[in-house]
Structure formats: C-alpha cells, structure tokens
Amino acid sequence: MSDGFTITDEQRDYSQYNLEANPFPYSPVPAENPEIFCGQQHVTTSISSTVSSVLSTGKSKHLVITGKYGNGKSHTLKYTRSLLRDREDVVVGYVAQPGEGFLDIYHEFVYDIGFNRLQNVAYEYLASITREVTDVNPTGPEAMRSLIDEGDVLLSEIVPEAIRQLSNITKFADFARAIIHMVYEDTNLYAWQWLTAEGIRYEQRKEMEIHSALDDDTMGVRAFTALKNTLLALGYTGVFVFVDEFESIARLSPKNEQGTLNSIRHLMDQNSSGLCMLFGCAPEVWQDVMSEYHAFSERIGREVALRPLTSEHLYELVNEYLDRERTGNTSDDTVQPFTEGSLDHILQRSQGNIRQVLSICSRILDSAVDEKQSHITADFTRELLIL
Amino acid sequence: MLYRRRELDLPHGELQTPVLFPVRNIGKRSSDNTPSYVTTIPDFSAAMINARSIRNRKPMWNRLMNGVSLREELDVPENTIVFADSGGFDFVSEELDTTPADTLETQHQLKADIYGTVDIPITRENRTTVNQRRINQNIQFALEASDHHDCDAHLLASVHGYDPETIRNNIRYLEKHGTFDGYALGSLVPIRTDYKKVTKLVIAARQATDKHLHVYGLGGLVYQPLLLYLGVDSFDSSAFIRSAGNRNYLIPGFGGEELQNIEDMDMLPCPCPVCGQRKLDDIREDRNALTQHNLWALATELRRFRYIVESGRDVEHYLDLRFQGNEVTQRAYKIAKQQVRGLA
C-alpha cells in the first residue's frame, strides 16, 4: 500500500516574494471579465478602429481575429466585451462557438445577454410607448416596472400599442409579442424560451398568440434582426456579437457549413447599420473560408492576427500578473522573483504562446516556494522544465 | 392563510363576510323560480341579481316601477342584502346595450346594496387584442361609474385579466383614479378548470387591495374553501341551481354526485333539513328540494371552514383532508398553498 499522497488544504506562503498568492492561473483559460491585456498593439488598434467606427457612425463593421490556439483569441474577445459592457448604449453578446448553425449562434448570443437584460429591453420599450401615449415620463426599465406595479399607467392601454408599433419596427409580430410577454410573470419564461430559440409547446405559444416556431437559421436571422432593430429604435447605437472558435465550422458538413456562412452573410446584408461582429478563428480555417466562401469573407472587411509574445510583451505580461498580488512596494518594472534569464527561458520554451507562458509561470512559482528559492533563476527554470 | 372576516355596513343592514351570494334567476325567466332559502338558511340572507335582465323584462320592470319592491318580487324579507351585477356575462354573446350611468341608475332603482360596474368578460378564445380592448373598456366603465356614484350602496369595480400583472395593475390604477368600496374579479368561469391560473389571479387581486374582494361565479363546493383560504370576502354561485337541474347532489366535503349513481339507499348522506326527514326517491323527484339541499351543502362547507378557523385548528391540515379525495382538487389546493406561502 502506498502512502505517497499528501493532500492538504494548507496554502503556500508567497510572502517572501511580496505576494499574497500565486497570481497565475493553474488552468489558463480566459476569465469571464479579463482585467489584463498585454501587447498586441496592432490587434488593439484594429479592434478599437472597428468598434469605434460602429459607435461613431452607426454603420455596421466586422472583423476577424486569427491566431493559433493559446495565443489569446478568446481572451481578446472577452476583454473587448468587458470594455463595451460598461457602455449603456450598446448590447454585447459572446458566443463561445458557432455550434451547428446560425440558430445556435443566435441562441448563445441571447443567452449571453441574459433574461434580465432582455426583460429590461421590454420594459424600456413599454416606457417609450408610455411616454408617447400618456402624460407620464418613465426614464428607464425600473421606473416603468414601478409605474405598472403601482397602477400609475394602465397596462391594457399601452400593451396593444406597444405590440403594434414593435411589429411595425421589427416586421415580425411574433417577436414583438414575445418581447412584450417578458413583462408578464405567467408567460415570461415561455417568452424567454421562444426568444432564445429553445422551442416551446404549441399551447405555450398560443397563450402568447405567437404563431411561428423559432427553429431554423432563417428564423434565427429574422429574430436577430428584429432584436437589433428593437434596440436601435430604443436609441442604442449598436449590437456587438463576438463569435469565438469560429474554426469549428470546419467540423460541419459542407452543406451545413455553407448554410451557416450564408445565414451570417444574410444577417450582415440585412443589417447595414448598428451591427458589429468580431470572429475569433484559427488562421488555417480562415484561409479556407476566404478561398472557398468569397461572398461571406468579403463582407468581413478585415483580418487581424494575434502573434506570439515577444520578450518585451512577456516581461510586461508577467509584471502585470504579479502586480495583482503584490503586498509591498517593489521597484518599478520588476518581475521578481522571476529573473530575466528565467523569463527568456520561459519564452523560448513556450514559443511565445500566452497560454503556455501562464501555465509555466504558475507552476514554477509554486515550485520555487516549495523549494524555498529566493529567486527564480534560469537554471531553476531549466531544471524544472526538463522534469 | 389569507382568510379574513369583515363586516359590511350596507343600506339594508350589516353583512358578515366572507359570504356567498346565491344567484337568483329573476329576470331571466318571467318570474324568479329560485326556491326559498333566505328565511330557512340563516347563512344566506343575501342574493345576487342581474340588473340588466330585470331591466329588460318589461312587465317585471313596470311592476317594480309601480310600487312593488324588488324584495317583494323575490319574496324575501326587506333586510335581504342584494348584490346587483351589471349582467356583464350576457355580453359574451350579446351586444353591449347599457352605459355605466344607466346601469348605475337601474341598480339604484332596484335598491341594491352592492353594485357591480358594467363589464364585458374576456375569454381565452378571443384574440389578445380583443381581450386587451375589453380590459381597458372595463376600466373606463368602472371609472365612469365611480364618477356617477353618489349613494350609500357599495360600488365594486369589475376587474378582468388573465395574468397577475394586469389584475394588480388594474386594481391599483382604479384605486388611484376612482372611488370604490371594493373590487370584483370576473371572467374566471371560462378558466375555472385551470386552478393554478385562478389562484394566481385571486392572490394578485388580494395583494393589490385590502378592500372588499368579490369573485364572480366561483362559489361552488370546490372553489368555496379555496377562495376562503385565499382571503376572498364574497363570491356568488348558481351551481346549486344548475347542479339540481342536472340531478347532481352536492355533498359537503366531497363534491357533486349524480343521483342516478345512488340507488340502493333509503336516505341520503346529508342530515340537512331537506334530506334529514325525506327519502331518496322523494328528493329525486323534487327539483326544488334538491336545489335547497345543494344550498345547505354550500352553507355547511362555509360553516365548517369558519369552525376550523374559530376553534384554532390548523386550516391547512383541514384542507389537506378536505381535498385528498380528488387528485385535481388536491393539486389545486397544493398550488394555492404554495402561492399563499410565496413558494410558487
């Protein structure tokens, strides 16, 4: 029988390095709301330009970010999302991967927006109608909710008008009804399920007077466009869709792949304003898309490639991570306990791949604590990485 | 539990609530053929009448305008409490032929104690836009009635809607824009088998106002304990007459049983003044007796509930037992209980 296991919840002590904890992730996956973004100036410039163009002109613009696995595509998309989320005039949704077709993209997008946000859109729309047909001036979703709860406005006075006007705006009466049903506690879950294209029973649709099923790519494009037009009617500047792991469309059958790309193309064609799509894609798949599906790739406009980290970027990256857990003052630009030699070795070993850099740094820092190293030298790093 | 007891001070006397208003069919026929109950069943010194039907039956209306009182026409004592609804249920199939002011005038001429405002029911078969229009119209009718109402009779605003938001919103809107003594929830009969929906709507209404709450049309044997539990102050029912018409015998604590299914018994299981001394075959042939018994069954159900509350017993335990015999009603009560406890 072996007694080689030593399992404990005792935390390592990083204080000798002026650190509260190990700042590097053990499993380097992109955080939901990343706080650090290093280097890749050409990428930040391209993304900023694309996003800013949409924000300033209202015209649609799209971009593909290519890069090998681990070079930070997901991180870049999520970082951009976290920057945009703070703005009140845009709606941004992240789609982890395109799934089996456009309907899956639509489904993931609406899910990422979330039930509460979509319900607030419904209240915002009722607020706009209330301002139009009554003397009351609700300024936002909460104010509108309160007016309804307190009986300051009459639901039966504003709901029919809201459905009528929203049907005109979206050209999709079922969508208009579903949005308005988001404010009714008896039906808002059905409405949510319909709006996310999860599918609901006929009886549930009937209760909301929704006639169609949202169950194919064409309907998905229609619903997406309706949602975007609703938001623009409410004064939003644009809708941002970030589709990650776009390379997975290569797994689809040629027919489905073409169908998905066609649907996205139709979406872009139907939305010449207020739409910004950013794709994260492996370069080899994007090359194939460009050569085989011109009609789609020509609408994207630009491609920007994430490159492996340089020595300066690595230094900056490690420094920023360490700063998150620093306990005391250290001299500027220091990466202690790492030495420059150790970072050079890490860069060489990882070939500038960010995911590998973070993983190695995390592992080495823990080992240095365990072996009571005052610094992480090139030799220590080399020895550890050989093991 | 939301059950509560109140006392209403009305033109023809005081009325203890919760209370059932048995529906009288006066005006629907040439004369009222509802069997006598006011003096024989002490719990029911009240009646629900349809103001529109009476107004539209010319000979009767002329009699009433020439000195015969409504209570004489009904053959009940002068202190009988009368709730006159607008006859809105007829507008499901007929054209609206009255105004809030006209209906109010009719209710006043009938010397009713409680007035229900003019309403046009909604149904699930209607398009949503039609229902929304009717809901809105009913609110405007209620506000118009509020503007014209200037006597001691209680004015209940008729409220309709198939979702809790609409019910809450309507009641609170009316509360802010009109003057009402209470609210009457309508259009529930078409959805009465959807217990979950009905209990949600009733709770929404109960939470929206502390004033008198009436539920139109749902005072039958099954709904009565549920409505009491949900804090409803009054309800009306014609179930006792309709059941008798179908030879349906109401048994307190159980439900309805068709008399054709009861053959090998001399005496029926209820010891009420109607059944206690009479044989089954005798009652089978006497529709009036069956109607009167059915009212006694409703009175018994009401008394039992009151007794459980007044004796400090656990009402929910009583209702657990009360509804255990029928899967549908048991589920209905469970839903009501969850909703009252805020769990659903």
Side-chain angles (χ1 to χ4, degrees):
Chain A
M1 199 167 81
S2 169
D3 59 352
F5 286 104
T6 309
I7 294 174
T8 172
D9 61 358
E10 192 180 332
Q11 293 198 358
R12 288 187 176 86
D13 181 7
Y14 300 89
S15 60
Q16 58 174 318
Y17 305 136
N18 289 330
L19 293 170
E20 282 278 0
N22 185 341
F24 302 102
Y26 289 119
S27 172
V29 292
E32 272 308 294
N33 293 298
E35 292 168 2
I36 294 173
F37 193 83
C38 286
Q40 309 283 2
Q41 187 62 42
H42 64 293
V43 174
T44 56
T45 304
S46 290
I47 293 175
S48 300
S49 165
T50 302
V51 170
S52 301
S53 295
V54 178
L55 290 175
S56 60
T57 67
K59 292 180 192 168
S60 297
K61 198 170 182 184
H62 317 293
L63 177 71
V64 170
I65 302 161
T66 56
K68 292 190 178 302
Y69 289 105
N71 270 357
K73 296 187 293 294
S74 302
H75 183 87
T76 304
L77 289 177
K78 288 186 171 180
Y79 186 76
T80 311
R81 176 180 65 166
S82 69
L83 295 178
L84 278 168
R85 262 187 176 171
D86 295 337
R87 294 182 63 103
E88 289 184 352
D89 64 336
V90 303
V91 166
V92 52
Y94 173 83
V95 177
Q97 49 113 351
E100 302 298 315
F102 182 77
L103 198 65
D104 285 350
I105 294 177
Y106 168 79
H107 170 86
E108 289 295 316
F109 173 78
V110 179
Y111 243 90
D112 194 57
I113 293 175
F115 179 92
N116 291 340
R117 185 73 194 268
L118 206 57
Q119 191 178 47
N120 279 348
V121 168
Y123 277 113
E124 279 181 61
Y125 196 77
L126 287 182
S128 72
I129 298 297
T130 301
R131 288 193 292 272
E132 194 180 310
V133 301
T134 73
D135 298 332
V136 191
N137 276 304
T139 51
E142 276 312 310
M144 189 63 223
R145 192 192 298 258
S146 169
L147 287 178
I148 293 170
D149 285 349
E150 298 303 319
D152 291 312
V153 296
L154 201 50
L155 261 180
S156 54
E157 190 179 359
I158 53 175
V159 162
E161 183 60 16
I163 291 175
R164 193 186 66 76
Q165 289 199 21
L166 194 53
S167 298
N168 281 342
I169 289 167
T170 60
K171 310 282 183 259
F172 195 176
D174 284 349
F175 178 88
R177 291 193 192 98
I179 285 286
I180 300 303
H181 270 280
M182 287 295 291
V183 306
Y184 292 105
E185 69 178 53
D186 266 12
T187 47
N188 58 22
L189 283 179
Y190 299 153
W192 167 248
Q193 282 177 298
W194 189 86
L195 286 164
T196 54
E198 276 187 14
I200 54 174
R201 294 200 313 271
Y202 169 74
E203 297 78 27
Q204 295 165 338
R205 286 210 319 258
K206 194 179 165 200
E207 192 167 348
M208 299 184 285
E209 222 173 5
I210 289 176
H211 304 291
S212 56
L214 214 171
D215 58 2
D216 61 25
D217 284 3
T218 307
M219 291 296 279
V221 170
R222 209 175 156 204
F224 190 100
T225 305
L227 176 59
K228 191 221 72 178
N229 288 340
T230 302
L231 292 166
L232 293 196
L234 285 170
Y236 284 78
T237 306
V239 175
F240 292 79
V241 189
F242 298 168
V243 185
D244 207 354
E245 292 187 23
F246 196 63
E247 62 274 10
S248 65
I249 60 159
R251 287 187 291 104
L252 301 177
S253 67
K255 187 182 164 201
N256 286 349
E257 183 179 355
Q258 187 160 13
T260 305
L261 295 175
N262 270 338
S263 294
I264 298 173
R265 179 168 67 86
H266 290 146
L267 182 77
M268 291 172 174
D269 288 351
Q270 288 173 30
N271 293 279
S272 58
S273 63
L275 176 64
C276 176
M277 296 190 80
L278 300 190
F279 298 90
C281 186
E284 55 276 15
V285 173
W286 184 243
Q287 287 303 320
D288 291 346
V289 170
M290 288 221 294
S291 60
E292 291 174 32
Y293 302 101
H294 297 283
F296 171 75
S297 60
E298 281 168 3
R299 282 164 173 77
I300 302 291
R302 275 192 79 177
E303 174 196 347
V304 64
L306 283 160
R307 297 174 192 145
L309 291 178
T310 62
S311 162
E312 290 77 28
H313 291 150
L314 174 65
Y315 196 90
E316 187 189 347
L317 179 78
V318 171
N319 188 19
E320 286 211 32
Y321 266 91
L322 290 169
D323 269 355
R324 294 165 72 184
E325 298 294 345
R326 288 282 187 217
T327 54
N329 289 333
T330 53
S331 56
D332 288 344
D333 282 343
T334 181
V335 288
Q336 68 169 342
F338 292 93
T339 61
E340 285 190 35
S342 69
L343 291 185
D344 285 344
H345 196 78
I346 290 169
L347 182 65
Q348 193 184 351
R349 183 64 186 255
S350 65
Q351 295 185 314
N353 183 293
I354 298 174
R355 181 176 292 155
Q356 287 192 38
V357 166
L358 295 174
S359 176
I360 292 169
C361 287
S362 175
R363 198 172 121 211
I364 289 178
L365 187 63
D366 276 1
S367 297
V369 171
D370 293 344
E371 297 187 21
K372 299 184 172 53
Q373 300 285 313
S374 60
H375 289 90
I376 298 173
T377 62
D379 287 343
F380 180 76
T381 305
R382 189 177 301 115
E383 275 177 34
L384 199 76
L385 293 179
I386 287 169
L387 291 175
Chain B
M1 184 181 64
L2 303 174
Y3 171 81
R4 61 190 211 166
R5 293 187 68 177
R6 296 282 167 102
E7 189 174 289
L8 298 182
D9 186 14
L10 298 165
H12 288 83
E14 288 174 349
L15 181 68
Q16 305 290 331
T17 65
V19 66
L20 168 75
F21 287 90
V23 173
R24 309 290 297 235
N25 59 5
I26 182 169
K28 286 286 178 185
R29 304 164 57 92
S30 56
S31 63
D32 180 30
N33 69 346
T34 311
S36 164
Y37 66 82
V38 173
T39 49
T40 51
I41 305 179
D43 311 69
F44 299 144
S45 58
M48 167 70 90
I49 57 160
N50 178 333
R52 176 177 176 267
S53 299
I54 298 172
R55 180 73 181 76
N56 288 351
R57 189 162 284 279
K58 292 297 173 198
M60 182 184 289
W61 183 250
N62 290 338
R63 272 201 308 279
L64 291 169
M65 291 303 100
N66 288 326
V68 176
S69 78
L70 171 72
R71 287 160 181 83
E72 284 171 346
E73 191 73 22
L74 288 167
D75 194 21
V76 296
E78 278 303 309
N79 62 355
T80 302
I81 303 297
V82 172
F83 185 148
D85 83 349
S86 69
F89 199 69
D90 297 341
F91 303 138
V92 174
S93 52
E94 296 175 36
E95 283 293 303
L96 179 70
D97 58 2
T98 184
T99 64
D102 287 347
T103 293
L104 215 58
E105 177 62 19
T106 304
Q107 290 162 328
H108 184 65
Q109 287 171 313
L110 291 171
K111 294 189 170 56
D113 296 279
I114 301 174
Y115 305 165
T117 59
V118 177
D119 55 344
I120 310 175
I122 57 175
T123 73
R124 272 186 166 162
E125 281 64 47
N126 288 346
R127 284 171 52 86
T128 311
T129 44
V130 173
N131 279 344
Q132 289 284 355
R133 193 165 57 239
R134 289 185 174 189
I135 289 167
N136 203 23
Q137 218 171 350
N138 291 332
I139 296 297
Q140 305 313 324
F141 287 157
L143 291 174
E144 223 176 305
S146 166
D147 288 344
H148 286 90
H149 180 56
D150 59 358
C151 66
D152 291 340
H154 281 206
L155 181 67
L156 304 190
S158 304
V159 172
H160 300 254
Y162 282 158
D163 60 87
E165 279 81 9
T166 298
I167 296 296
R168 270 195 297 271
N169 175 256
N170 281 1
I171 290 177
R172 288 182 175 150
Y173 184 87
L174 289 168
E175 195 69 15
K176 287 193 171 170
H177 295 86
T179 307
F180 302 98
D181 299 290
Y183 299 90
L185 212 49
S187 299
L188 300 183
V189 173
I191 58 164
R192 64 186 177 280
T193 54
D194 188 347
Y195 291 98
K196 187 175 181 180
K197 175 75 87 182
V198 170
T199 52
K200 271 188 172 184
L201 299 178
V202 172
I203 287 174
R206 184 66 289 165
Q207 288 171 340
T209 181
D210 190 48
K211 289 184 177 174
H212 187 94
L213 179 63
H214 180 89
V215 169
Y216 284 127
L218 289 187
L221 218 48
V222 174
Y223 261 110
Q224 202 179 95
L226 272 181
L227 296 181
L228 293 169
Y229 176 71
L230 297 174
V232 172
D233 298 301
S234 63
F235 27 84
D236 60 89
S237 177
S238 58
F240 63 103
I241 298 179
R242 282 185 290 103
S243 295
N246 297 326
R247 294 294 182 271
N248 205 355
Y249 182 79
L250 302 184
I251 308 171
F254 289 87
E257 181 68 64
E258 288 183 21
L259 280 179
Q260 65 181 10
N261 298 332
I262 312 172
E263 287 183 351
D264 300 328
M265 289 180 75
D266 275 347
M267 307 296 284
L268 284 158
C270 173
C272 76
V274 180
C275 314
Q277 303 295 325
R278 295 172 69 175
K279 301 244 174 179
L280 165 61
D281 288 341
D282 191 13
I283 292 183
R284 199 193 297 273
E285 288 164 15
D286 184 349
R287 190 169 141 180
N288 273 357
L290 191 52
T291 307
Q292 283 173 317
H293 153 77
N294 283 346
L295 264 176
W296 271 110
L298 291 171
T300 307
E301 194 77 57
L302 192 57
R303 282 187 195 184
R304 276 187 191 168
F305 195 99
R306 281 186 184 146
Y307 168 72
I308 295 296
V309 174
E310 298 305 325
S311 62
R313 285 170 163 75
D314 183 346
V315 171
E316 291 186 345
H317 179 62
Y318 163 69
L319 292 177
D320 285 337
L321 295 171
R322 166 68 183 82
F323 290 117
Q324 70 179 359
N326 181 312
E327 202 182 318
V328 175
T329 54
Q330 190 179 37
R331 197 165 55 240
Y333 167 59
K334 270 188 185 168
I335 290 164
K337 188 159 65 171
Q338 284 172 347
Q339 289 175 358
V340 166
R341 291 177 174 185
L343 298 175

